[in-house]
Amino acid sequence: LEQQVHVGRMRYYGIATWNALRARESERDYINLYEVEALAREAGGTNHHFRFVQLPFNLAMPEGFGLANHRDGDGKKSLVHAASQLGIAVMGSAALYQGHLTKGIPEFVANILGMSTDTENAIQFARSAPGIASALVGMRKSHHVAANLKPAMMPRTAKDEWLRLFREK
């Protein structure tokens, strides 16, 4: 990929996984972000072009933020923390978890996120997470586009409010 950057076919690159970046270290498909970045550094030097990771991030799959599973010399960090430290942008996919988060969100979550519907609250959760550069939302029908844009027109949930989701029961 560094060669492709060198010849002008791309500017940056990244990796996308469903499980590997949010898996526990003991799991077979686990990938440590620090090791991937070290490979990029080996191939492209300190000015390598590995700049993006994508993984599911939503109310049902918050491991990218909440699970300290990426180890460097200073200990374990969450994917979001490790990526920030390495200058890598995190893209959260599956914000609605294939439609499963369009209903049934607990009331305390809705109260903190402050949107009108469960769908909006699920999108607001993903887009407001500290360290998430972009929350990707898949849409099958055109009327979903307008509905799913509503949270984007509102301010993100403040960081201190969003963090309450990890302290509430």
Side-chain angles (χ1 to χ4, degrees):
L1 293 173
E2 288 294 335
Q3 179 62 28
Q4 296 302 307
V5 171
H6 181 73
V7 299
R9 289 196 178 109
M10 62 175 49
R11 190 174 292 176
Y12 303 107
Y13 61 90
I15 61 173
T17 75
W18 188 260
N19 289 325
L21 294 170
R22 58 187 194 84
R24 297 192 183 282
E25 290 177 276
S26 60
E27 294 180 42
R28 191 175 134 238
D29 59 349
Y30 168 76
I31 293 176
N32 183 332
L33 185 62
Y34 290 104
E35 292 175 4
V36 176
E37 191 275 342
L39 292 170
R41 215 174 336 106
E42 184 180 312
T46 56
N47 294 320
H48 64 79
H49 297 85
F50 174 51
R51 295 287 194 282
F52 301 97
V53 295
Q54 179 184 319
L55 72 159
F57 184 78
N58 55 55
L59 282 161
M61 302 163 125
E63 299 90 352
F65 183 84
L67 177 63
N69 62 337
H70 294 270
R71 183 186 303 271
D72 72 351
D74 296 329
K76 292 182 180 181
K77 298 174 177 80
S78 72
L79 179 276
V80 168
H81 185 171
S84 175
Q85 187 178 47
L86 295 168
I88 297 170
V90 178
M91 307 297 160
S93 63
L96 297 176
Y97 190 25
Q98 301 170 329
H100 296 291
L101 297 173
T102 60
K103 57 186 176 281
I105 291 179
E107 187 176 335
F108 84 89
V109 173
N111 289 339
I112 290 171
L113 295 171
M115 303 303 288
S116 301
T117 68
D118 285 347
T119 299
E120 291 173 8
N121 280 311
I123 294 169
Q124 185 73 340
F125 172 83
R127 70 183 285 269
S128 298
I132 299 290
S134 181
L136 306 175
V137 182
M139 294 166 256
R140 288 192 180 129
K141 299 179 180 171
S142 59
H143 68 273
H144 291 155
V145 175
N148 293 346
L149 281 173
K150 287 181 184 178
M153 304 313 214
M154 303 298 291
R156 293 177 182 207
T157 301
K159 180 180 178 180
D160 59 329
E161 283 296 299
W162 190 91
L163 290 172
R164 283 182 48 214
L165 294 168
F166 287 84
R167 292 189 296 267
E168 297 284 332
K169 295 189 182 190

